[in-house]
Amino acid sequence: MMRTLLVRGMLAGLVAGVLATLFAYFFGEPSVETAIGLEGTAAHSHSAPGAHEHAEAAEEELVTRGVQSTVGLLTGVGLYGVAVGGLFSLAFAFTYGRLGTLRPRVTAALLAGGAFVVVFLVPFLKYPGNPPAVGQAGTIGSRTSLYFGFVALSLLIGILAAAFGRKLADKLGAWRGGLLAAGGYVVLISVAAALLPSIDEVPEGFPGSTLWTFRLASVGTQVVLWTALGLAFGALAEKALKSRDTVRA
């Protein structure tokens, strides 16, 4: 059964990745194109006469922008969806049956919602994504480390809160236990966010509308991904589990 759930999780992740790619292409790529245009204009205005043409001649474009925004986007988001789907199926296998008598669809939906908040939304609020032309090249390593470090910390606190809430639910009831666990997560992650350094490298004069559109599209892409993953995997898992129960009966 674990192998069946893993395969179905990866399949659901692939479907979710394709849907998220379509959303990102139609709603996110326009702001990326705008930011790239602004970056090119700024570089051209600050370069010495003839330096821009020389740099273009010396630097070959290995992957065109058209490929990046279509095939490259689909490949990246699709592989991410498959990987997340596999991990999601493992988390589902561990969670299912430990949240009471919830149906597989409901368990998958709750798990997807929690994962969206813990893995993406909370880290995004601390370190929001930026389009091209935002951020300094010399700080890419530190920014990446801080972001993924905060993701890992949020995930760890989320797992501890879930385990703590499960124990409290046995004593205080599911509602009170869940609220206390959620409150504990909020408090701990808020303290961690306050202690970690903030990053604000948005250049002066960068259009706020472009930044807002890009970040809103980033959130929307993740909403589509996790919603599709939860719904698709929930349906596939419920069908698999029902077939197993039928065979056992």
Side-chain angles (χ1 to χ4, degrees):
M1 181 52 62
M2 187 64 251
R3 180 181 178 183
T4 300
L5 290 177
L6 179 61
V7 171
R8 296 192 178 207
M10 296 173 70
L11 178 60
L14 179 60
V15 172
V18 171
L19 294 176
T21 298
L22 292 175
F23 183 92
Y25 178 78
F26 287 107
F27 294 97
E29 282 302 313
S31 58
V32 174
E33 291 288 352
T34 301
I36 290 176
L38 292 171
E39 185 179 35
T41 302
H44 180 76
S45 62
H46 289 86
S47 61
H52 183 67
E53 290 76 7
H54 177 72
E56 285 186 342
E59 181 181 342
E60 288 188 22
E61 190 175 29
L62 298 178
V63 181
T64 64
R65 176 63 194 145
V67 173
Q68 292 175 10
S69 62
T70 53
V71 178
L73 181 64
L74 177 61
T75 301
V77 179
L79 290 177
Y80 175 77
V82 171
V84 168
L87 294 174
F88 185 82
S89 67
L90 299 178
F92 174 87
F94 178 78
T95 305
Y96 182 62
R98 291 179 171 85
L99 299 177
T101 57
L102 297 178
R103 293 176 53 188
R105 290 175 186 264
V106 178
T107 302
L110 291 175
L111 185 61
F116 167 76
V117 172
V118 172
V119 176
F120 171 75
L121 185 59
V122 170
F124 185 86
L125 292 176
K126 175 63 179 178
Y127 298 115
N130 292 322
V134 175
Q136 301 174 9
T139 63
I140 291 178
S142 60
R143 283 186 281 127
T144 303
S145 299
L146 284 171
Y147 175 77
F148 283 106
F150 194 61
V151 170
L153 183 61
S154 177
L155 183 59
L156 176 61
I157 295 176
I159 292 173
L160 293 176
F164 185 63
R166 184 67 183 88
K167 292 184 178 181
L168 288 178
D170 295 335
K171 299 179 180 179
L172 305 176
W175 180 248
R176 291 183 179 179
L179 285 179
L180 287 174
Y185 170 81
V186 171
V187 170
L188 290 177
I189 202 64
S190 298
V191 172
L195 293 176
L196 288 173
S198 299
I199 299 176
D200 184 10
E201 296 184 343
V202 179
E204 186 177 354
F206 189 86
S209 59
T210 300
L211 183 63
W212 168 253
T213 302
F214 175 84
R215 289 179 174 175
L216 192 61
S218 298
V219 174
T221 299
Q222 291 292 326
V223 169
V224 171
L225 178 75
W226 287 103
T227 301
L229 177 58
L231 294 177
F233 179 80
L236 294 173
E238 187 160 294
K239 184 177 180 180
L241 293 169
K242 281 185 177 180
S243 300
R244 181 198 64 177
D245 296 338
T246 302
V247 171
R248 287 183 177 179

